[in-house]
Amino acid sequence: MKTHGMRGAAIALIVALLWNGASAGSISVYWGQSTGEATLAKTCTSGNFKYVMISFLTTFGNGQTPVLNLAGHCNPATGSCKSLSADIKTCQSRGVKVFLSLGGGTGSYSVASPDDARKAADYLWNNYLGGSSPSRPLGPAVLNGIDFDIEATTKNWEHLVRALKARSTPSKKVYLSAAPQCPFPDAHLGEALKTGLFDYVWIQFYNNPSCQYANGDASKLLNSWKKWTSSVRTAEPRGFFVGLPAAPGAAGSGFIPPNILISKVLPTVKKSPQYGGVMLWSKFWDEKTNYSSAIKRSVVSNPSMDDLDDVGEVLTFAYLAE
């Protein structure tokens, strides 16, 4: 009977660890829209982030000359942004995936037709991904993927998504992410999201009173989360992220204090098999509050090596006692 009890304890511990592993998440963050934030390399070496979106390519499509706007970090017109290639490689050496984010709240971007989508995909492939071009704005480093933060126009984004994903291979995957607003369906990326080709979807639960946290009430956010995760399919199994402002000043509304996120939001969203973690806008604002550091442990919830050692000890003892 005592042996059976030890076996039961071992099994219970393993189940608990596997459950924690199933809910493990990570943090993604937008970088590039303030000169007051840490360098890209320091952002990645902080250990807080698994995905970093370089923002933004604000002009492209419909015959326009593409424009990369990194808000003073560097000037693509002079070639100074090519120095970021070393930072990108530093990030990737740490296991951090780096994306180029398209769009943003301001700029001039659109996709006029399926043919225009193919041309935009060719440009992105040759200048930021695995292709080649003499004018790569970020230098020779190959980004991991493309992020869609589309807040203007509604047509043909699904064609750009398909054209980019067609470049992906098992040995060199092209990751795609999207940052829709929380009202469902998203006004701009609705058709593109139907493709199921986005690996990650970081839903913006801010600046949208109908589906965000407010005054101690997380019910609208949680209802929206349930709608999104039950209606949209991602290419990665745990592809949905709770997108939040990292400080009260980072958005007009929707900021959630870390203790509230940990106590009222994460326990529910982590029950979803699609849970991937939390997205933050932005690195600049995160430095004002240390938000990522405050939430990381609760977002990640991975079993530690000490926990795994405990499993081994319990199993060994249980079976030696037989």
Side-chain angles (χ1 to χ4, degrees):
M1 294 298 294
K2 187 176 294 185
T3 298
H4 292 163
M6 292 303 297
R7 283 186 181 180
I11 293 170
L13 179 56
I14 292 169
V15 169
L17 287 171
L18 289 175
W19 176 262
N20 284 338
S23 63
S26 55
I27 303 175
S28 63
V29 70
Y30 282 85
W31 177 92
Q33 284 300 294
S34 176
T35 54
E37 63 196 352
T39 65
L40 181 59
K42 287 184 178 179
T43 297
C44 294
T45 57
S46 70
N48 283 0
F49 309 107
K50 187 174 180 179
Y51 310 94
V52 177
M53 289 73 74
I54 297 176
S55 52
F56 292 105
L57 188 71
T58 56
T59 301
F60 63 91
N62 202 19
Q64 301 177 97
T65 299
V67 175
L68 177 67
N69 181 347
L70 296 184
H73 277 286
C74 56
N75 184 355
T78 65
S80 62
C81 293
K82 293 183 178 182
S83 64
L84 288 173
S85 188
D87 285 32
I88 293 166
K89 292 177 180 178
T90 294
C91 293
Q92 293 169 334
S93 72
R94 296 296 186 102
V96 178
K97 291 181 173 61
V98 185
F99 294 61
L100 172 68
S101 186
L102 310 181
T106 61
S108 175
Y109 53 89
S110 64
V111 178
S113 65
D115 184 60
D116 194 33
R118 286 189 290 272
K119 291 177 181 177
D122 287 344
Y123 170 80
L124 293 169
W125 173 256
N126 289 324
N127 286 275
Y128 293 99
L129 299 170
S132 60
S133 168
S135 60
R136 291 176 68 91
L138 299 177
V142 176
L143 298 182
N144 297 97
I146 301 295
D147 175 65
F148 287 66
D149 183 13
I150 305 302
E151 301 181 29
T153 76
T154 61
K155 295 181 178 180
N156 297 310
W157 296 113
E158 68 273 21
H159 299 298
L160 180 55
V161 168
R162 291 191 179 98
L164 286 168
K165 207 61 173 179
R167 302 279 193 171
S168 187
T169 66
S171 61
K172 189 60 179 176
K173 189 168 182 177
V174 175
Y175 290 90
L176 299 179
S177 61
Q181 305 288 313
C182 58
F184 185 88
D186 183 72
H188 307 294
L189 287 172
E191 290 300 315
L193 287 161
K194 289 179 182 178
T195 65
L197 295 176
F198 285 106
D199 298 283
Y200 308 107
V201 176
W202 4 89
I203 308 163
Q204 297 185 48
F205 289 106
Y206 50 95
N207 294 333
N208 287 287
S210 67
C211 49
Q212 67 184 32
Y213 167 87
N215 302 318
D217 182 8
S219 62
K220 291 180 179 179
L221 184 156
L222 295 174
N223 288 338
S224 179
W225 169 267
K226 183 178 180 180
K227 179 65 175 178
W228 274 97
T229 56
S230 63
S231 303
V232 174
R233 176 173 53 88
T234 57
E236 289 289 311
R238 294 185 301 187
F240 281 94
F241 285 61
V242 179
L244 299 172
S253 59
F255 175 75
I256 306 179
N259 63 311
I260 300 298
L261 178 71
I262 292 168
S263 64
K264 290 191 174 184
V265 177
L266 290 180
T268 297
V269 300
K270 288 171 70 174
K271 292 177 182 178
S272 168
Q274 294 100 323
Y275 167 78
V278 171
M279 174 275 279
L280 296 178
W281 175 267
S282 62
K283 183 61 173 73
F284 171 79
W285 291 106
D286 183 57
E287 291 173 15
K288 303 294 184 184
T289 61
N290 292 316
Y291 198 94
S292 62
S293 295
I295 67 171
K296 181 183 175 183
R297 183 174 180 179
S298 297
V299 169
V300 173
S301 295
N302 265 325
S304 67
M305 290 307 297
D306 290 340
D307 292 332
L308 296 178
D309 288 342
D310 290 343
V311 172
E313 291 172 5
V314 172
L315 283 173
T316 301
F317 187 83
Y319 282 91
L320 286 177
E322 188 173 0

